[in-house]
Amino acid sequence: MNLGELRSPQLTDRAARTLLAVPLGATEQHGPHLPLSTDTVIATQLCRRLADRIPDVVVAPPIPYGSSGEHAGFAGTLSIGQAMLTGLVVELVRSADDFAGVVLVNGHGGNAQPLREAVRTLRAEGRTVMAWAPAGRADDTHAGHTETSVLLSLEHPGVALDAAEPGVTAPLPDIIDDLRRGGVAAVSPNGVLGDPTRASADDGAAVLERWTDSLVDAVATWMAES
Ligand SMILES: [Zn+2]
């Protein structure tokens, strides 16, 4: 169920036993072959699957901007920065007190740190909130095999597979210092961290299934504890 499609009275009695799942995305370059909305698409898809698997979950409209400063210099990238993202999440979750709790599903690695800070603040205030992000290989972190396969499995019309080319395939810990200093452009001229050239819809479907299982487990454990 999507929050934006519900009418307010439909939630009056239900909100207190309903979890709000919020997709956190980004609008940033994803190489020559994937759309700028890739992280938002993936986070939204994971929230929908969570709602399919756990009763009383409502999916909020996605947050399409994140902290994407490291992708500056590539056309189309927009970023609201770390502090603004932290503030946005804190205020959004504070406003969701009618709900039983909030699950923040993050599709973009650059959002992780500001999100951790937001969750720390919100929990200190006594709010019921958790954040989750899909795990991936250290040599395939951006617009590579994984993300490309997932978008193929969703039959996303924005994928241009014939434009896919390998980027830097060194594991992230090996390039993180250069990346922090000069952004993605300094380590990968085409903006890809990984190799998307062998991506497949089947691989993407398997990845989505694995991520969904992991998300459902994390939320179920958290619900049992909170
Ligand atoms: Zn991405």
Side-chain angles (χ1 to χ4, degrees):
M1 226 174 336
N2 293 323
L3 181 66
E5 291 161 14
L6 292 172
R7 296 179 304 281
S8 177
Q10 292 178 283
L11 280 164
T12 307
D13 297 324
R14 281 175 57 186
R17 52 185 162 80
T18 298
L19 280 182
L20 185 67
V22 182
L24 293 177
T27 299
E28 64 180 29
Q29 71 82 19
H30 271 73
H33 65 294
L34 291 184
L36 292 146
S37 64
T38 294
D39 295 344
T40 311
V41 168
I42 291 173
T44 304
Q45 181 62 215
L46 288 165
C47 284
R48 284 191 192 137
R49 286 167 180 242
L50 175 70
D52 288 343
R53 296 264 295 269
I54 292 189
D56 295 321
V57 172
V58 166
V59 180
I63 298 172
Y65 305 113
S67 176
S68 299
E70 72 275 21
H71 295 279
F74 291 94
T77 296
L78 300 176
S79 174
I80 60 171
Q82 298 206 357
M84 194 61 76
L85 181 62
T86 299
L88 187 159
V89 170
V90 166
E91 291 298 339
L92 188 78
V93 175
R94 281 175 179 163
S95 77
D97 277 348
D98 285 351
F99 290 90
V102 178
V103 179
L104 303 159
V105 175
N106 176 26
H108 169 51
N111 293 344
Q113 179 56 32
L115 202 47
R116 265 195 295 276
E117 273 179 45
V119 167
R120 197 182 312 128
T121 298
L122 290 159
R123 286 187 169 167
E125 294 172 352
R127 293 192 156 83
T128 307
V129 58
M130 69 164 278
W132 181 91
R137 280 172 26 198
D139 60 352
D140 183 46
T141 54
H142 186 77
H145 185 87
T146 303
E147 287 188 322
T148 306
S149 295
V150 168
L151 259 68
L152 284 175
S153 80
L154 299 174
E155 298 179 5
H156 194 286
V159 182
L161 201 56
D162 51 352
E165 50 187 42
V168 64
T169 54
L172 192 58
D174 294 358
I175 54 172
I176 192 73
D177 290 342
D178 289 341
L179 201 156
R180 287 212 172 103
R181 265 193 302 270
V184 170
V187 295
S188 176
N190 70 359
V192 175
L193 307 177
D195 181 357
T197 54
R198 293 181 185 190
S200 76
D202 283 352
D203 283 0
V207 167
L208 264 180
E209 203 50 41
R210 200 167 65 238
W211 282 347
T212 304
D213 287 346
S214 166
L215 172 59
V216 168
D217 280 356
V219 171
T221 303
W222 172 70
M223 284 168 72
E225 286 167 355
S226 58

